[in-house]
Amino acid sequence: MTGHRGSTKRAKKRGKTSVPGPRRLASVWKKRTLVVVVVAVVLVVGWLAAGRFLREEPQPAQAPIPTPPPAETNTPTPPPVQLSPEEKTTALKAEELRLAQHLVTAFPNSEQPLVLLGDMYRRRGALDQGVEAWEKAVRMNPKRGDVYDRIAQAAFETDGFEEAIAQWREGLETIPSLRGAHTNIARSLMRLGQYEESLPELQEEVKQHPDIVLNYFLLGRTHQHLRNYEESKTNYEKAIELKPDHMNAYYGLYNVCARLKQQEAAKRYLAEFKQLQKRDEQQVRELDETTTDLDVYSRSLARLSFEAHELYRAAGNMGSAEELLKQAVALDPENTTFLERLVMLFRSRNQTSEALALCHRIARIDPTDATCQLNIGILSARTGQFETAEKAFRKAIEISPEYDAGYQELARLYLHMRKSLPQAKELARQAVALKASDQNHYVLGLTCLANDDRTSALARLRQATKLEPKNAKYAETYHNIRKEMASK
Amino acid sequence: MIRWGPRQKVGKRQPLGTVLLALAFCAACGAQSPSTIRLTDVTGQTGIAFKHHDGSSGKYYIVETVCAGLALFDYDCDGDVDIYFLNGGTLKGANPKTQPRNALYRNDGNWKFTDVTKQSGLGDPGHALGTAVGDYDGDGDPDVYVTNFGPNVLFRNNGDGTFTDVTTAAGVADGHKVGAGANFLDMDNDGDTDIFVANDQMQNFLWQNDGTGRFEEIGLLAGVGYDMNGDAMGSMGVGCSDFNHDGLIDFYVTAYQQQFPSLYKNLGDGMFEDATFLTGAGAGTVHTVTWGNDFADLDNDGDRDMFIALGHLADNVEKWDQRSSYFATNLVFMNTGKEKFVNVSDSAGDGMKVKLSSRGVGLDDLDNDGDIDIVVQNSRREPTLLRNDSPKQGHWLQIRLKGVKANRNGVGARVTVVAGDLTAIDEVHSGRGYQSHYGARLYFGLGNHQRVDRLEVRWPAGGVDVFKNVAADQLVTLIEGQSQAALP
């Protein structure tokens, strides 16, 4: 810095302008590196902000998209600047804060931006600011039980267990089925040493949500502390039944069996615990090695962009919503929720090839996503790629054999292609067996018709009409068949 | 960090009467239970000028953040307890104005201390982490072992107030490791010395001595390897004592932020139970890192209370996590005698208002007035000396052991004291709390008992001495094999 100031002084003394000659150009750039980096960071933030959503109010129609500021004409084009991961992280953090604060201004009558602002602070560890934002949100809309949940969670994490319990109870007043509230009250009571009192809370939660593993695990632990070892064992076993690799439940079972002097079982559970723990440690190590701050803040801004897109979509500003959604996808390209929303958007606009490309991307990220395979099938069929469509529907059935849509869509495809019609009828029958919906009855009716079984077709169409009397298509098809039969 | 005060219902306006009633209730209750413990910060009057240096390199090496412990022992055998502060060295990248060294302060009585580091020869410049004191050569005076990041050092006490570095001569020079704290104790009442090691982010070790000098690691089997869920903790210090007077030594193991320390209650059959929440021993600890800790009867009521040192290891933690803070006030828990601890820190005197980043802790009677005082090592700052000014309400007995067949300090010896309905045990340990050493004199609060009916010493060499009808409120020296010696 001193050298830079010195050379400027010398230049002024000599009465020269600051425009550098060709030979000095390189050294000037060297000296200006810092400035360039700073400018670049600002540009990156600007580019991110050029998500073009920073409009003052939600617009019903698409507003013009601001473009990045033009480069100065009297300066040479700067070489591309490589930002360090730290600089990128800083830019992302700044942008996330800017977007969150902007949403609060842009949607002054909605509590949701305050919720999002609080969530952002929470992700950054700034809990007090998070709680402040959430409290404002819940003042605007006291019916937001999920916000009480957030405040309660913050209290729970900072030793405020009584406060947490009170907040969760308020959440339950607002939403009696608030998911996890009874569990969390029980966890707070346990931390206060009130194990007896935590039991009814856990039992209530089990009644409401019998498939949540955590409740059985906590019941196991509570009974263990209350020395009800048999009940404890039963609950730990239930947790393992629902989640066979529940490491902590195995540890609990070891302890309980040791207390019950069931040495063989204790030994077995301990061995299982050790094995799972080894695997768990490996997974944690791998996660630590692969996750950077840049990833964390990219995903954080992506999440906020996605939530902001929802806000703009609800307000009817589809242009800004789309930009924000695209930004979310750009920042977290592996997030299938974001990608699926983009697929929906493309489909609603009949941008079939774009939607199809995205579906293939989702399938690469999550090859076990049956819905994605269905989408591939439907979109491929729409573009005449029947072979691809058939493969995709078969894949969907393979992934989720209990899901009726795969059978129905494949039956439809065969109907459309006029191929394998007996198989189409069988597929439609399977769809009805899995879910006796009006749609499935209708498709089965069509396959019956295609296989010249008009009587069965009529029966199925009657069933479809009974289930959905408002659907004119069902009645129309029914009458057409009747007419055809009559004419014969 | 968020402090959850009296609850205020969010989102709904409270009627004024309700608010006033709530305020009156809160005022009547007080934030915490009243304390019978008073600790006064007397650091300023002691003449101690020591300031801890952590070797700050700007690179946040882990060995900077975890140092250091301290030792309380009578180096000159003049009857009062002196203080040895460990200090960080100069790590790569650090450039301190003066070379940091460990410091020895002689207790001159009346809370005055003199720096005798230079003449004693104990001013080791290594990057010190932990220390243990014992009479390794059996000549009657305490020698000092220091674990460094770098070569460890053994200092022999010359008996004239000076020490000689005998590391090489004694054959203990292989010390280029990161020394960690450990505790010798008899956890299974079988008369031999077992070892507990608190491991950071790994399973804790409990080495059980089979009586032949061979050890078996049983931490996992015994239920002290992990917390109650089976998760590894960032274990730091370990306090060992019988907190519930059931004749079994229990453990209190401190932990990292967002983890609770664990109070492992000894069940007597080789197993322990995590009783942290049941006893209330985890209250107020979750927001930051907990370090040095131990049990001591601070109010002489006959049961052992607990002191815990707190402070995050990262001086910038608030930047990314407001749930925590680098500086924190320490905690004192009052034992209610019913297996319950109450956090009385806010009402236990101005000594508990000191807000620094504490590490090692030592508990001993520094002014020979019959109650336990506390010395706290604070990272990068001056230490804190807490004088116990609790109202004189109970009697006490202090015991110094002299081994003849056993080691001179009686390390590993167990003392059982019976006074009326009170039966209490304690052991002489070497290495205590977090990287520290203290407690060569055993200390028993006796409540309202003016005499001890029976006093039994079980020596590590196997012999048992019994003393009867011992007057309270004195320090007695018990020599191995002299059961019949008259005691006042």
Side-chain angles (χ1 to χ4, degrees), chain A residues 322-343:
Chain A
E322 184 180 341
E323 289 297 337
L324 281 157
L325 182 57
K326 283 179 178 168
Q327 175 165 293
V329 169
L331 286 161
D332 188 359
E334 303 277 289
N335 188 313
T336 52
T337 307
F338 303 164
L339 289 168
E340 274 160 15
R341 185 57 61 84
L342 203 51
V343 169

Side-chain angles (χ1 to χ4, degrees), chain A residues 126-141:
Chain A
L127 262 192
D128 51 355
Q129 285 158 289
V131 169
E132 197 184 323
W134 292 327
E135 284 182 346
K136 276 186 197 164
V138 91
R139 261 182 232 121
M140 282 177 78
N141 182 1

